[in-house]
């Protein structure tokens, strides 16, 4: 393309009539496909040369077309639109050729048509291949940038200005409160799993045009989402986001078990890191406490975090209250499981027996054994609270599987 915007026909030596003809074709084709006419550089020239001389496109000409395909991908022009541009230019040129270059006989027309069709095929094949390669590179680059951004957000990168700048292309306004939701499949997250892409589409569809990031990290699905839906949200949200995400994951692959945890919302980049740590700790606490609920919320785990923070008191409580259970036949674990089920079912022995898959008589016997060994009655409200807190502490410290001490780590 010359400085005036015309397309130069090789061999025309600046012939203004030829350049005007090619430029008119380029402009018309660009108008049809709504793609930049700059993408036709060299393409129209090699088509015209094929029609006149019958030669096939040269490698340097196809290299230019290859570069144009890459450029189209980087500009975000749809592949179909680019192909439409090339096909539109081809039929327009072929339509005009008899007026520009008079053909003497039918054989000449047939040879010219074959040459043009070959040139069109080669050029579009190179164009599409280059476009696809560039698109794949862009996708990998975006995925890499997304992973890096998510990692830095979750760890609380101190370069706040840099984080804000990097988050902007993804539509993330760090001035708004965000929360982090974590999802973990019971069978692990295999390489190439499609749950992340499905989940992102689901959230965008459910909540409207929201600033959402979905990524994977250490076997978890990580969802970064604004704390409040916009006024333009297409549906009234009646469930919390953790339940919505859990239900969507269950529907995505029936039979797969998921546990979802939600951190509390906070503003700013440091708020995202704080919400992530809360969600991660909620997952660990739910595992240690053997919760059945598939969705846990960080705000509902605050009381257990209080226990975790005073580890010395937990150790003292376990040693003072529960250690006598180790004297029972079969050890402390069966009695601890019975107390856990009894408290989880609202102190109803029948429900606890069903939960444990044992007889009611077994449950009542074990509760009596607990009372005998610990001198604390599970049926007495005051003593029941002590036992309940001690059981929670035991699960947090993985007792009696491992011995407890004041130096033991609560959540390794």
């Amino acid at each position: 393309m010359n400085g005036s915007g015309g397309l130069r026909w090789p061999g025309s030596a600046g012939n203004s009539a030829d350049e005007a003809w090619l430029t008119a074709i380029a402009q018309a084709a660009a108008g049809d496909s709504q793609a930049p006419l700059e993408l036709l550089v060299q393409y129209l020239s090699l088509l015209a040369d094929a029609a006149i001389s019958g030669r096939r496109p040269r490698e340097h000409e196809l290299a230019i077309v290859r570069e144009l395909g890459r450029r189209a991908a980087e500009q975000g022009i749809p592949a179909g639109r680019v192909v439409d541009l090339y096909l539109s230019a081809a039929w327009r040129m072929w339509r005009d050729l008899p007026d520009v270059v008079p053909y003497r006989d039918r054989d000449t027309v047939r040879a010219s048509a074959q040459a043009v069709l070959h040139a069109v095929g080669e050029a579009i094949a190179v164009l599409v291949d280059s476009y696809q390669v560039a698109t794949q590179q862009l996708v990998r680059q975006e995925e890499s940038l997304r992973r890096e951004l998510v990692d830095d957000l979750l760890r609380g990168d101190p370069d706040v200005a840099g984080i804000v700048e990097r988050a902007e292309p993804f539509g993330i306004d760090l001035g708004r409160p965000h929360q982090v939701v974590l999802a973990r499949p019971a069978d692990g997250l295999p390489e190439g799993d499609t749950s992340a892409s499905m989940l992102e589409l689901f959230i965008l569809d459910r909540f409207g045009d929201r600033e959402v990031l979905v990524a994977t990290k250490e076997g978890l699905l990580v969802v970064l989402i604004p704390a409040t839906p916009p006024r333009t949200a297409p549906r009234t949200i009646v469930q919390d986001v953790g339940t919505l995400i859990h239900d969507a994951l269950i529907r995505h692959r029936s039979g797969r078990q998921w546990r979802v945890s939600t951190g509390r919302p906070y503003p700013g980049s440091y708020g995202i890191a704080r919400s992530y740590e809360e969600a991660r700790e909620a997952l660990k606490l739910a595992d240690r406490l053997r919760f059945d609920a598939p969705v846990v919320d960080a705000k509902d785990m605050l009381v257990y975090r209080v226990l975790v923070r005073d580890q010395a008191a937990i150790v003292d409580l376990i040693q003072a209250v529960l250690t006598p259970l180790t004297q029972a036949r079969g050890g402390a674990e069966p009695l601890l499981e019975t107390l856990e089920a009894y408290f989880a079912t609202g102190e109803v022995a029948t429900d606890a027996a069903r939960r444990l898959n044992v007889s009611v008589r077994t449950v009542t016997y074990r509760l009596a054994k607990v009372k005998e060994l610990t001198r604390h009655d599970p049926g007495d409200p005051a003593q029941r609270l002590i036992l309940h807190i001690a059981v929670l502490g035991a699960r947090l410290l993985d007792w009696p599987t491992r011995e407890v001490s004041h130096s033991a780590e609560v959540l390794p």
Side-chain angles (χ1 to χ4, degrees), residues 40 64 67 87 95 97 148 159 173 188 192 211 233 275 319 335 340 353 382 400 403:
L40 291 172
I64 295 175
E67 171 63 19
L87 292 177
R95 181 193 62 186
L97 273 174
E148 292 175 4
D159 182 12
D173 179 5
E211 44 196 70
S275 182
Q319 292 175 342
L335 300 181
E340 192 174 33
E403 294 185 6

Side-chain angles (χ1 to χ4, degrees), residues 69-140:
R70 183 191 64 79
R71 191 180 305 170
E74 291 179 347
Q75 293 176 6
I77 304 170
R81 190 177 297 175
V82 180
V83 173
D84 284 345
L85 173 69
Y86 272 49
L87 292 177
S88 177
W91 74 258
R92 286 177 179 279
M93 172 175 284
W94 181 251
R95 181 193 62 186
D96 294 347
L97 273 174
D99 297 331
V100 178
V101 183
Y103 293 106
R104 291 172 295 182
D105 53 54
R106 183 176 299 177
D107 290 340
T108 305
V109 173
R110 184 181 297 111
S112 179
Q114 290 177 346
V116 170
L117 288 175
H118 280 303
V120 170
E122 286 189 62
I124 290 183
V126 167
L127 179 83
V128 172
D129 181 68
S130 174
Y131 186 99
Q132 291 176 339
V133 170
T135 299
Q136 291 170 358
Q137 292 175 342
L138 290 171
V139 168
R140 286 194 293 267

Side-chain angles (χ1 to χ4, degrees), residues 132-396:
Q132 291 176 339
V133 170
T135 299
Q136 291 170 358
Q137 292 175 342
L138 290 171
V139 168
R140 286 194 293 267
Q141 182 180 10
E142 181 175 337
E143 289 176 347
S144 177
L145 292 174
R146 177 194 294 252
R147 282 195 300 269
E148 292 175 4
L149 174 63
V150 170
D151 285 343
D152 290 344
L153 284 171
L154 297 184
R155 71 181 176 85
D157 193 306
D159 182 12
V160 177
I163 284 287
V164 171
E165 183 178 353
R166 290 162 55 200
E168 186 177 358
F170 293 97
I172 305 299
D173 179 5
L174 295 180
R176 296 180 59 189
H178 290 77
Q179 66 183 130
V180 173
V181 182
L182 302 180
R184 184 192 62 206
D187 55 354
L189 199 63
E191 187 72 23
D193 190 89
T194 59
S195 300
S197 56
M198 179 283 303
L199 194 55
E200 186 164 30
L201 291 174
F202 165 78
I203 293 176
L204 291 173
D205 175 69
R206 178 76 184 186
F207 291 85
D209 187 13
R210 303 188 67 191
E211 44 196 70
V212 174
L213 277 182
V214 180
T216 58
K217 181 178 176 65
E218 299 174 354
L220 300 173
L221 286 182
V222 181
V223 182
L224 174 64
I225 189 169
T228 56
R231 298 175 183 175
T232 56
R235 299 176 179 89
T236 301
I237 308 303
V238 296
Q239 292 176 294
D240 65 89
V241 68
T243 301
L244 284 171
I245 288 176
H246 178 265
D247 291 349
L249 290 169
I250 293 296
R251 288 193 299 270
H252 175 60
R253 186 175 299 175
S254 60
R256 195 178 197 183
Q257 301 298 315
W258 290 83
R259 169 158 278 172
V260 175
S261 67
T262 60
R264 290 181 292 173
Y266 299 99
S269 59
Y270 289 119
I272 292 173
R274 182 178 179 184
S275 182
Y276 167 67
E277 288 301 326
E278 286 187 353
R280 197 161 64 104
E281 187 176 31
L283 269 183
K284 292 182 178 181
L285 288 172
D287 289 343
R288 281 295 181 85
L289 296 170
R290 304 185 185 185
F291 282 0
D292 292 331
V295 180
V296 291
D297 195 317
K299 67 177 182 294
D300 297 329
M301 308 297 288
L302 293 176
V303 64
Y304 305 110
R305 292 178 64 195
V306 171
L307 293 177
V308 171
R309 294 298 182 264
D310 197 348
Q311 183 173 328
I314 296 177
V315 171
D316 289 342
L317 187 63
I318 292 171
Q319 292 175 342
V321 177
L322 299 182
T323 298
L325 298 181
T326 59
Q327 302 171 17
R329 182 181 301 177
E333 183 59 32
L335 300 181
L336 201 64
E337 287 182 346
T338 301
L339 284 172
E340 192 174 33
Y342 184 65
F343 297 138
T345 56
E347 295 89 39
V348 179
T350 304
D351 293 343
R354 187 179 302 111
R355 185 186 183 99
L356 295 169
N357 198 25
V358 298
S359 67
V360 177
R361 183 175 180 180
T362 298
V363 171
T364 55
Y365 168 79
R366 290 178 180 176
L367 292 176
K369 196 66 176 177
V370 169
K371 178 180 178 180
E372 174 189 338
L373 293 173
T374 66
R375 308 297 184 188
H376 287 79
D377 183 1
D380 181 273
Q383 296 180 24
R384 180 173 64 232
L385 177 62
I386 295 173
L387 282 170
H388 196 178
I389 294 175
V391 168
L392 292 174
R395 291 311 187 199
L396 290 172

Side-chain angles (χ1 to χ4, degrees), residues 7 9 22 62 76 121 185 187 294 306 319 368 391 410:
L7 291 168
W9 188 351
L22 292 177
L62 293 178
D187 55 354
V306 171
Q319 292 175 342
V391 168
V410 178

